[in-house]
Amino acid sequence: MFFIPSGCRNSASSRTWSPARVKQDLVPGRTTTLRITPTRLGDYKVRCAEICGTGHANMLADVQVTSADDFTAWVQERLQAPVYADMTPEERGAIWYSDPPDNQYRPCSGCHSIDGSTMSGPTWLGLYGHQVQLTDGTTVTADDAYIRESILNPNAKIVAGFQPDVMPQTFGDTFASIQADILTNEGVEIDMIADIIAYMQTLQE
Amino acid sequence: MNKLSIWLTSAYVRGLIGQVIGTALGIGFVQAIRGAMGLEYNIEPGVVFGALIGVLGFLLAAGVFTDWIKWIFGKKTPLRHGTPPGKPQWSRYLNVDFNHKVIGIQYGFTSVLVLLIGGIFAILFRIELAAPGMQFLKNDQYNTLFSAHGIIMIVSILLGVGAMINYLVPLMIGASDMAFPRLNAFSYWVGIPAVVLILSGMFVGGWDTGWVGYPPLSLRAPLGVQMFLLGFYIAGFSSIAGAINLMVTVATMRAKGMSLFRMPIFVWAAIATSIIQFTATQTLGMALLMVVTERAIGLSFFDAASGGNPILYQHLFWFYSHPAVYVFVLPGLGIISELLPVFSRKPLFGYKWIALSSLGIALVGFLVWAHHMFVSGMSDVLRIPFMISTLFVAIPTGVKFFSWVATMWEGKLSFETPRLFVMGAISVVLIGGITGPILGTIPTDLALHDSYWVVGHFHSTMFGGFIFPFFAAVYYWYPKITGRMYKESLGKLHFWLMTPAFWLMSLGQMRAGLLGMRRRIADYDPALGVQTTQVLITVAALIIGWSVLIMVYNLISSARAKEKAAMNPWGSRSPEWQIPYPVPEFNYEVPFEVVGDPYDYGLAGSKYIEAIPIPAVGD
């Protein structure tokens, strides 16, 4: 079965375009459906097919077609509520990267790759601790302070070759709300950004 | 008066100054009110009001409203005709003139100028697209360029349609002018501030919505989108006023004996075009105005969070914009029908069928709009009748194609430049037309919607339905307009550069779409394998651009040739070719009567028109 990302940038209608070459608009305010019968297993890409703003050319997401058994197993796994308190920061960071709880925000994986490929945002592979060149010509080190600022205030520093006003500005609020939920449910204080930083440190080349 | 001062006091310059002043006054007025009310700073409502006042300012300063204002104050204004005293004849083309031929030429010049501007935008983003990665444009600049390219080309087409209809129809029906000459001048001049508005949008932040302006994106786009929406809205007035004028003219001012089925076929095309413009433009105006007001004063038509519905915009927009594409191509298809008999020395096959097919296309064209929305989330079931009606458009269109073939069959064909462009038009609009049903069929549309296939399809239909026939018409009527003959060798060079290049561009775009390339993207994944195709398309676009410049050079330099052209170099039976250059102010000094059918070429003893003898004094 497909995993089609919901809640695509709510600033525009997007049109998802899967490798089976079908299209369906996601329109704010209504639920649209698309039925497909996939016949080949594999990893594919869903690409936005309706002009949605500056990042339209790079708006894409991953799709995995798996066997029915694998899918059932995947669903079972996700139905288990993760116990965040028992995880290491790196493990939590990997979850915040690609699989936000209840899809409360668009995953980082939608714009930042971990394999070196360029998407709407810079790749995280080999990012931590290295030099980064910005659009204003200066060079900074991608340390903890830089990463924390980049998440809370994305337009403060733009890496050369990328655009301002693409990354959502709302992660600060969203993370705070998720952290408050985890505090309520498990009684532990999590710092999502510290988790993400820990995960990034594992992504060295 | 010397040349410079004639230009500086022209209606163009006066109008632009008036537009700037009007815009400033409008913005100032709204900002003052906002300040007095203690509202927070927001330039957008002021800019919207200023833009509209600017358009009024343009029209007032240019002199478009002068006669009408005098009427309000009870003054009579004779219809001014001829060159103003003390000024050269060419200054008529720079000012508000009421003669349909002058207005037609003004439309034509402006259309070509706007075409070149839109072409430059295309060349810029095509060069960027030749290689993956962003070379010299930023994403938002790229998005603004293709958005502006789309609407600017549409305005160029509307102006070119206006040029052909205004110049030709009164001449073809034996009238002395259009029914409402001052309204005719208004229809032309209102288009100029519209173009200025659209272009100004590129300097106040640009916009990335494409020419369709869908919300929610258009609700959040930069300020440039307002200039685009307002410019497009204002251009609609030109269409509506022009359409009224044309329909009344044809209804009431035809020559004696010219029944409807004895009019030149182009007039039928003009009628069908005008019916569409008169009926559909208003829905677009509403759609655009709804986005303008939602942005500027906070209404809630399309924003889902406030209870609005983005799909409503699409219905309102496409209810005009689909019939609009038939506005773009019907006149051109009429030109093809008009020219083929002359260059085949044979009657036009199926004249009545061709005439009615123009009306048929206009009618069916109103019933198909949702084929642009098959993937929009509209009701699944309603898509099917739209698919059926879309496929139906092929019927009246096919009538034209088969009639053209039958017209040429066993004719005496000659291949001067106008004829070449007619043949080019037919070949190109055939590709465009054949690739349409694939988009009109829902399952294949799901794969190809918003891909480069669509880009290939509409460029083919637009070039084949407008650009090629427009160029054919310009070359064909050039001797009547300027009294000189264009250079045939350059005309052929233009054709032989442009046509293969255009085939390459169209087929390349369609290929890219089949390979999976989306449209309106600033960059593409090299893994798609479309880069070679993109390079070829870019090269083709450059060749097309150069070929058009060759045409412009040809037209300008040939106008100064010493040798005058013959009165009727093509041997046409149409009324305008029976009068000499320069065409008299009121066209036909000796009125004519229609005594036969218009296209009986080769039929011995047949006559189309006969001059009505003026009774001698004392009879």
Side-chain angles (χ1 to χ4, degrees):
Chain A
M1 280 301 286
F2 285 88
F3 156 68
I4 302 234
S6 65
C8 277
R9 290 244 310 259
N10 63 2
S11 64
S13 293
S14 332
R15 191 164 285 161
T16 62
W17 194 23
S18 79
R21 299 282 189 82
V22 286
K23 270 181 222 75
Q24 181 59 53
D25 276 6
L26 304 167
V27 182
R30 60 166 67 190
T31 308
T32 57
T33 57
L34 177 67
R35 290 188 328 188
I36 338 177
T37 306
T39 53
R40 259 199 260 172
L41 304 182
D43 293 338
Y44 301 96
K45 289 232 186 293
V46 174
R47 298 176 195 269
C48 179
E50 172 70 44
I51 179 75
C52 57
T54 323
H56 173 57
N58 300 323
M59 179 172 172
L60 39 84
D62 293 314
V63 177
Q64 274 188 327
V65 181
T66 59
S67 69
D69 289 335
D70 284 349
F71 179 74
T72 316
W74 178 79
V75 170
Q76 286 307 315
E77 189 193 311
R78 299 198 45 104
L79 285 177
Q80 317 275 355
V83 180
Y84 295 111
D86 293 344
M87 296 178 191
T88 65
E90 293 82 3
E91 285 171 340
R92 285 197 297 269
I95 295 177
W96 309 142
Y97 167 74
S98 63
D99 207 0
D102 297 323
N103 286 313
Q104 285 183 64
Y105 58 88
R106 181 140 191 263
C108 322
S109 58
C111 294
H112 297 278
S113 75
I114 51 173
D115 62 0
S117 56
T118 306
M119 296 167 69
S120 296
T123 184
W124 286 6
L125 180 68
L127 171 63
Y128 184 79
H130 285 94
Q131 300 293 308
V132 174
Q133 182 159 58
L134 305 178
T135 49
D136 60 8
T138 60
T139 310
V140 294
T141 308
D143 56 11
D144 288 24
Y146 168 79
I147 293 174
R148 188 169 292 271
E149 182 189 45
S150 298
I151 294 175
L152 296 176
N153 186 4
N155 279 343
K157 293 186 173 61
I158 306 291
V159 176
F162 295 92
Q163 312 279 349
D165 295 322
V166 178
M167 180 162 164
Q169 318 261 344
T170 51
F171 285 117
D173 292 336
T174 317
F175 284 9
S177 143
I178 295 175
Q179 284 164 191
D181 286 342
I182 296 175
L183 181 60
T184 309
N185 295 337
E186 301 182 23
V188 274
E189 269 193 51
I190 306 279
D191 181 351
M192 289 173 72
I193 297 183
D195 295 340
I196 290 174
I197 293 173
Y199 175 60
M200 276 185 173
Q201 288 173 331
T202 70
L203 298 171
Q204 299 302 331
E205 286 176 287
Chain B
M1 290 180 93
N2 68 7
K3 258 194 185 175
L4 181 63
S5 61
I6 294 180
W7 274 97
L8 288 178
T9 52
S10 69
Y12 291 103
V13 170
R14 291 201 318 270
L16 277 171
I17 296 175
Q19 188 168 11
V20 168
I21 294 176
T23 310
L25 284 175
I27 297 179
F29 181 70
V30 171
Q31 294 305 90
I33 294 185
R34 288 183 69 91
M37 286 170 69
L39 295 172
E40 63 172 20
Y41 178 78
N42 181 1
I43 194 77
E44 189 159 326
V47 166
V48 168
F49 186 67
L52 296 170
I53 302 295
V55 172
L56 281 177
F58 182 103
L59 296 170
L60 276 167
V64 175
F65 289 149
T66 313
D67 276 12
W68 292 331
I69 293 178
K70 285 189 179 157
W71 295 358
I72 295 176
F73 289 101
K75 296 209 182 88
K76 287 201 200 305
T77 61
L79 195 57
R80 180 176 48 74
H81 264 284
T83 314
K87 291 209 178 134
Q89 208 259 352
W90 59 268
S91 73
R92 289 183 78 174
Y93 297 96
L94 299 182
N95 287 297
V96 174
D97 196 288
F98 302 128
N99 184 308
H100 76 99
K101 299 185 289 296
V102 172
I103 294 174
I105 292 171
Q106 289 173 319
Y107 265 115
F109 265 101
T110 313
S111 168
V112 173
L113 177 65
V114 172
L115 181 81
L116 293 173
I117 294 175
I120 291 174
F121 296 163
I123 299 284
L124 285 172
F125 66 72
R126 277 267 28 117
I127 293 177
E128 171 60 61
L129 214 52
M134 300 304 286
Q135 281 79 46
F136 66 97
L137 285 176
K138 300 223 266 319
N139 282 19
D140 53 350
Q141 291 169 330
Y142 182 96
N143 290 357
T144 298
L145 279 173
F146 76 65
S147 303
H149 167 76
I151 187 60
I152 285 291
M153 285 310 199
I154 286 175
V155 172
S156 166
I157 295 179
L158 289 173
L159 291 170
V161 163
M164 292 190 284
I165 292 184
N166 272 291
Y167 190 88
L168 295 174
V169 169
L171 284 169
M172 285 179 167
I173 62 174
S176 56
D177 205 318
M178 295 282 261
F180 304 118
R182 295 180 186 81
L183 189 66
N184 204 10
F186 167 82
S187 300
Y188 167 69
W189 285 99
V190 79
I192 308 292
V195 172
V196 170
L197 279 178
I198 293 171
L199 292 175
S200 74
M202 301 176 76
F203 298 100
V204 292
W207 70 101
D208 49 8
T209 62
W211 76 278
V212 295
Y214 283 7
L217 183 62
S218 52
L219 298 177
R220 288 163 180 74
L223 185 60
V225 81
Q226 281 285 21
M227 314 313 286
F228 149 66
L229 295 164
L230 290 165
F232 199 2
Y233 179 79
I234 297 293
F237 287 99
S238 173
S239 290
I240 298 172
I244 295 174
N245 217 342
L246 184 287
M247 292 192 289
V248 174
T249 305
V250 174
T252 60
M253 294 172 73
R254 294 195 309 275
K256 183 167 182 238
M258 189 177 282
S259 64
L260 286 178
F261 285 125
R262 280 186 166 174
M263 298 189 300
I265 191 74
F266 178 75
V267 184
W268 278 101
I271 294 173
T273 306
S274 299
I275 291 176
I276 303 175
Q277 287 178 303
F278 179 64
T279 322
T281 314
Q282 293 82 340
T283 348
L284 172 80
M286 255 181 27
L288 299 175
L289 213 53
M290 287 158 87
V291 178
V292 167
T293 50
E294 182 154 352
R295 284 180 63 107
I297 58 180
L299 301 181
S300 323
F301 300 112
F302 308 122
D303 180 33
S306 330
N309 183 353
I311 298 191
L312 173 62
Y313 177 88
Q314 295 184 36
H315 280 294
L316 291 172
F317 180 86
W318 286 113
F319 186 79
Y320 161 78
S321 299
H322 187 86
V325 311
Y326 296 116
V327 167
F328 304 154
V329 306
L330 278 174
L333 300 183
I335 293 286
I336 296 176
S337 304
E338 191 66 52
L339 264 51
L340 273 182
V342 178
F343 289 97
S344 311
R345 310 315 297 173
K346 264 190 72 194
L348 181 64
F349 185 93
Y351 168 98
K352 278 202 181 124
W353 285 95
I354 299 183
L356 295 175
S357 76
S358 291
L359 294 181
I361 291 177
L363 174 63
V364 180
F366 269 101
L367 306 175
V368 306
W369 78 91
H371 67 229
H372 299 271
M373 297 166 57
F374 281 154
V375 299
S376 67
M378 67 175 281
S379 151
D380 283 353
V381 155
L382 278 184
R383 299 187 293 187
I384 296 174
F386 279 107
M387 172 171 78
I388 298 173
S389 59
T390 302
L391 297 174
F392 259 117
V393 173
I395 298 180
T397 316
V399 163
K400 288 187 189 286
F401 272 92
F402 286 112
S403 302
W404 294 335
V405 171
T407 303
M408 291 190 269
W409 197 262
E410 290 187 338
K412 259 184 80 175
L413 309 181
S414 62
F415 291 95
E416 295 88 341
T417 302
R419 170 49 169 275
L420 286 174
F421 274 94
V422 164
M423 303 305 291
I426 296 176
S427 75
V428 165
V429 82
L430 190 59
I431 308 176
I434 287 178
T435 54
I438 300 167
L439 292 168
T441 311
I442 300 168
T444 41
D445 187 61
L446 292 189
L448 293 172
H449 185 103
D450 263 9
S451 72
Y452 242 68
W453 173 274
V454 179
V455 176
H457 165 73
F458 66 70
H459 281 98
S460 296
T461 42
M462 291 299 104
F463 267 74
F466 172 76
I467 300 279
F468 276 83
F470 179 67
F471 289 169
V474 167
Y475 283 115
Y476 182 76
W477 274 285
Y478 186 83
K480 189 54 60 187
I481 298 173
T482 62
R484 310 285 187 283
M485 200 42 148
Y486 60 87
K487 258 188 124 176
E488 181 66 32
S489 56
L490 286 181
K492 289 203 159 83
L493 177 64
H494 172 198
F495 175 79
W496 287 111
L497 280 176
M498 184 161 137
T499 308
F502 187 77
W503 272 70
L504 176 64
M505 182 171 110
S506 278
L507 296 173
Q509 288 168 332
M510 290 181 206
R511 177 163 194 269
L514 289 173
L515 287 173
M517 180 172 175
R518 300 159 290 153
R519 67 182 289 201
R520 296 190 175 127
I521 49 175
D523 191 20
Y524 51 89
D525 189 344
L528 270 181
V530 295
Q531 191 188 348
T532 316
T533 312
Q534 291 301 318
V535 171
L536 289 174
I537 297 173
T538 301
V539 167
L542 285 163
I543 296 176
I544 293 173
W546 277 111
S547 75
V548 174
L549 290 178
I550 290 175
M551 176 189 79
V552 172
Y553 168 77
N554 189 1
L555 298 178
I556 295 180
S557 66
S558 301
R560 300 184 189 150
K562 286 228 176 54
E563 193 186 323
K564 294 233 167 112
M567 182 172 88
N568 189 357
W570 314 116
S572 165
R573 297 160 62 112
S574 194
E576 75 274 12
W577 291 104
Q578 320 310 324
I579 49 178
Y581 168 86
V583 177
E585 184 72 19
F586 295 101
N587 301 342
Y588 297 97
E589 284 167 345
V590 180
F592 64 79
E593 179 181 353
V594 173
V595 299
D597 286 330
Y599 298 106
D600 283 342
Y601 294 97
L603 224 50
S606 60
K607 256 189 147 189
Y608 178 38
I609 60 177
E610 224 168 52
I612 298 177
I614 300 172
V617 176
D619 270 7

